[in-house]
């Protein structure tokens, strides 16, 4: 696989994958197809060698650009998505269009040109687990768990996964799916939980915790996600689904407490705000299939150290987040969050 088409490669998880490929896979060329929505930024690709990475601005739901690019690639890795639950509650329309319509368009092109396809999905397709289940560490999502998404966002991601499965079975498309837990690291847009709290503190605002802060997320450093996707792309079995997670469960309150400590703030320097409707209680991934069949292991196992590096990145890249920060916070304020 020498030529990859990475859709959504100007967004958070996608750009970290592009950077991983450039740094670790010599001779591999990447074309990024990205619509540059509010979450995509061409600056994210700055500094990457022009002979290795090319950006095409376009929509994954546009068959003209998709067919042209898929025809000349060895594999498509689909990171492009509307990705934020809170936005999907305000306006689900773009989620339907990009997450379902875009995946359909990419699958049709891969069918037409017989191109390998990998779908980047999320643990949220499985709905949630009760918070009390955290006492039983073996109670986690597996590839056998039932799809029961809670939000418009996760319902569209679940729909896209089902399309991929059908295109494998009915049309023989050479596809795999990975469902990953919550990512953190550099280049994450400031609307998401961890960068929102860090940039709130850096800009003199108080961090905001939804509800009682008891909801649990299973955190993984984005670099570990990128390495797992590479293994699945190159050595995964066609038609299979792999769950990616790093045993990084923490309640939101715990994560915020750590951010406050690492940034030298008083432990109570935050506000409780209105909860998210339909808020998923707990996510937890059993990644044993990926570990046993492909030998992948997370490398960033010290969450506090990973978080400290992430905080430093936001401190060092204020220009990157400053301009959009006020808009993001105005949206949350309107929502009582
Ligand atoms: P993001 O919102 O930061 O980035 C999404 C990117 O897709 C942006 O660059 C945006 O411009 C682009 N995009 C949106 N619509 C497009 C379209 N129609 N055509 C082309 N490009 C389009 O999202 P992210 O957090 O980087 O998530 C990337 C993928 O990873 C998503 O599929 C998401 O479901 C999945 N995922 C994310 C996480 C996480 O914690 N962030 C966890 C598991 C899975
Ligand atoms: O200000 C906040 N306060 C707060 O308490 C924000 C923005 C969030 N939260 C809570 C809600 C969640 O319990 O923090 C948790 C994480 O929230 P998000 O960052 O919005 O992520 P989540 O809803 O868990 O979904 C994420 O992980 C799975 C990504 O956004 C998805 O794209 C991915 O599929």
């Amino acid at each position: 696989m020498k030529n990859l088409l990475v859709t959504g490669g100007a967004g958070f998880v996608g750009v970290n994958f592009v950077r991983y490929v450039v740094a670790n896979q010599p001779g591999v060329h990447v074309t990024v197809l990205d619509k540059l929505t509010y979450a995509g930024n061409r600056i994210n690709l700055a500094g990457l060698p022009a002979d290795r990475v090319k950006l095409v601005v376009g929509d994954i739901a546009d068959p003209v650009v998709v067919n042209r690019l898929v025809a000349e690639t060895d594999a498509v890795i689909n990171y492009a998505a509307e990705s934020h639950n809170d936005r999907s509650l305000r306006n689900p329309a773009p989620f339907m269009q990009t997450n379902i319509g875009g995946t359909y368009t990419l699958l049709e092109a891969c069918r037409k040109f017989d191109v390998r396809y990998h779908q980047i999905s999320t643990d949220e397709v499985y709905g949630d687990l009760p918070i009390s289940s955290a006492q039983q560490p073996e109670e986690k999502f597996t590839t056998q768990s039932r799809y029961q998404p809670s939000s418009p966002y996760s319902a569209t991601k679940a729909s896209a996964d089902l399309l991929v499965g059908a295109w494998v079975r009915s049309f023989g498309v050479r596809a795999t799916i990975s469902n990953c837990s919550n990512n953190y690291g550099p280049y994450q847009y400031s609307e998401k939980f961890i960068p929102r709290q860090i940039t709130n503190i850096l800009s003199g605002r108080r961090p905001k915790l939804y509800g009682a802060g008891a909801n649990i997320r299973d955190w993984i450093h984005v670099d570990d996600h990128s390495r797992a996707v590479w293994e699945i792309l190159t050595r995964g079995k066609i038609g299979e689904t792999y769950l990616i997670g790093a045993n990084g469960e923490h309640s939101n309150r715990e994560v915020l407490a750590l951010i406050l400590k690492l940034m030298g703030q008083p432990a109570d320097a935050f506000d409780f705000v209105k909860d998210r409707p339909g808020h998923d209680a707990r996510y937890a991934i059993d990644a044993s299939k990926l570990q046993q069949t492909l030998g992948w292991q997370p490398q960033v196992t010290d969450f506090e150290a990973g978080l400290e590096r992430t905080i430093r990145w936001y401190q060092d890249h204020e220009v990157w987040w400053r301009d959009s920060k006020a808009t993001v916070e105005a949206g949350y304020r309107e929502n009582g969050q």
Side-chain angles (χ1 to χ4, degrees):
M1 287 187 203
K2 291 296 174 200
N3 293 297
L4 304 182
L5 179 61
V6 178
T7 65
F12 164 50
V13 192
V15 77
N16 278 287
F17 179 74
V18 173
R19 289 181 173 276
Y20 162 83
V21 170
V22 169
N24 297 285
Q25 308 300 337
V28 176
H29 297 254
V30 177
T31 300
V32 170
L33 172 61
D34 199 297
K35 193 175 166 184
L36 300 184
T37 67
Y38 77 94
N41 192 340
R42 66 170 72 239
I43 297 294
N44 294 352
L45 298 162
L48 292 169
D51 60 342
R52 300 279 308 278
V53 179
K54 180 176 84 173
L55 170 66
V56 176
V57 179
D59 190 334
I60 59 163
D62 173 1
V64 176
V65 68
V66 164
N67 280 328
R68 177 168 65 79
L69 296 178
V70 171
E72 55 195 32
T73 196
D74 299 320
V76 175
I77 304 97
N78 180 26
Y79 284 92
E82 287 293 335
S83 69
H84 193 39
N85 277 301
D86 292 318
R87 280 180 190 262
S88 81
L89 296 164
R90 281 179 247 161
N91 178 19
F95 292 74
M96 303 293 289
Q97 183 67 20
T98 289
N99 299 1
I100 304 178
T103 300
Y104 162 71
T105 306
L106 291 169
L107 284 169
E108 278 293 81
C110 288
R111 166 155 91 112
K112 185 167 176 183
F113 298 105
D114 187 24
V115 165
R116 171 87 169 84
Y117 181 84
H118 182 71
Q119 174 73 358
I120 301 296
S121 190
T122 169
D123 56 1
E124 297 190 18
V125 299
Y126 300 116
D128 64 354
L129 300 161
I131 288 174
S132 58
S133 69
Q135 306 314 317
Q136 287 102 41
E138 68 289 350
E139 249 195 73
K140 296 184 177 210
F141 298 136
T142 72
T143 51
Q144 304 309 311
S145 299
R146 192 160 79 87
Y147 270 40
Q148 43 188 350
S150 314
S151 73
Y153 161 68
S154 49
T156 58
K157 292 298 290 183
S159 306
D161 289 4
L162 298 182
L163 293 183
V164 176
W167 262 244
V168 171
R169 175 152 175 176
S170 298
F171 303 126
V173 169
R174 293 177 290 125
T176 41
I177 300 174
S178 55
N179 299 78
C180 189
S181 61
N182 283 59
N183 285 220
Y184 72 100
Y187 299 100
Q188 187 167 29
Y189 193 67
S190 74
E191 68 186 353
K192 301 284 165 58
F193 178 59
I194 287 179
R196 184 181 185 205
Q197 313 316 330
I198 296 170
T199 55
N200 272 8
I201 294 169
L202 292 176
S203 62
R205 297 169 169 95
R206 282 165 71 87
K208 309 287 183 214
L209 203 51
Y210 293 176
N215 306 60
I216 295 168
R217 295 294 181 264
D218 189 353
W219 293 98
I220 183 172
H221 193 276
V222 66
D223 289 345
D224 283 327
H225 186 185
S226 297
R227 283 191 308 104
V229 169
W230 181 261
E231 295 305 324
I232 297 164
L233 181 70
T234 53
R235 299 195 295 121
K237 193 168 161 214
I238 298 304
E240 294 284 311
T241 288
Y242 296 87
L243 266 55
I244 307 173
N247 293 323
E249 280 186 68
H250 298 279
S251 72
N252 295 337
R253 210 173 166 152
E254 285 166 1
V255 174
L256 180 56
L258 199 49
I259 293 172
L260 290 165
K261 185 187 93 169
L262 290 170
M263 296 184 74
Q265 300 292 306
D268 61 353
F270 68 90
D271 299 327
F272 287 108
V273 294
K274 198 180 86 183
D275 206 353
R276 172 186 287 172
H279 196 172
D280 279 339
R282 173 187 175 228
Y283 303 144
I285 283 274
D286 175 351
S288 54
K289 174 176 172 182
L290 177 64
Q291 294 171 338
Q292 283 157 19
T293 59
L294 300 180
W296 172 89
Q297 291 290 346
Q299 289 179 352
V300 186
T301 49
D302 182 340
F303 181 60
E304 183 165 342
L307 202 53
E308 202 169 4
R309 272 193 289 138
T310 305
I311 292 169
R312 208 169 313 125
W313 189 88
Y314 284 90
Q315 284 167 335
D316 294 345
H317 292 79
E318 193 180 329
V319 178
W320 183 86
W321 55 264
R322 197 182 40 211
D323 285 352
S324 54
K325 178 72 185 165
T327 316
V328 168
E329 289 308 313
Y332 276 127
R333 215 170 21 251
E334 235 170 72
N335 235 23
Q337 293 173 319

